[in-house]
Amino acid sequence: MDVHIQALEAAINYWRARQPARGNEYALSAPVSRLAGVYALMIYYRQDSIAEDSLEPATAALIDAWRQDSGGIHGDSHP
């Protein structure tokens, strides 16, 4: 299954709401940082989607948690 950039954005926003930036530097939380790294690479390489099985397991788990908590929204998959 592919993860589309819009779904990754939604997952980032989900984790930002759950674990906002903290400290004087407003450092990103670990989940947001992990997802943002993938997002940045997708932007850099001009990718609209990325194969979920190419992601690190911890990153895929964050996306899966977002999917489950958002009521099964799978706007990132295409048949």
Side-chain angles (χ1 to χ4, degrees):
M1 177 184 335
D2 286 345
V3 177
H4 293 268
I5 199 157
Q6 296 88 350
L8 188 56
E9 290 170 349
I12 289 169
N13 288 330
Y14 167 83
W15 284 104
R16 282 182 59 219
R18 290 188 59 131
Q19 295 183 21
R22 298 191 184 214
N24 291 336
E25 302 83 24
Y26 292 102
L28 297 176
S29 66
V32 175
S33 181
R34 181 176 290 279
L35 293 169
V38 173
Y39 183 81
L41 289 173
M42 289 177 70
I43 296 295
Y44 181 79
Y45 289 111
R46 298 179 181 174
Q47 294 175 296
D48 292 330
S49 63
I50 188 168
E52 188 168 350
D53 60 1
S54 71
L55 299 173
E56 293 181 10
T59 304
L62 292 170
I63 294 169
D64 287 339
W66 160 72
R67 284 182 183 137
Q68 290 176 6
D69 201 39
S70 62
I73 296 171
H74 289 73
D76 53 332
S77 61
H78 290 194

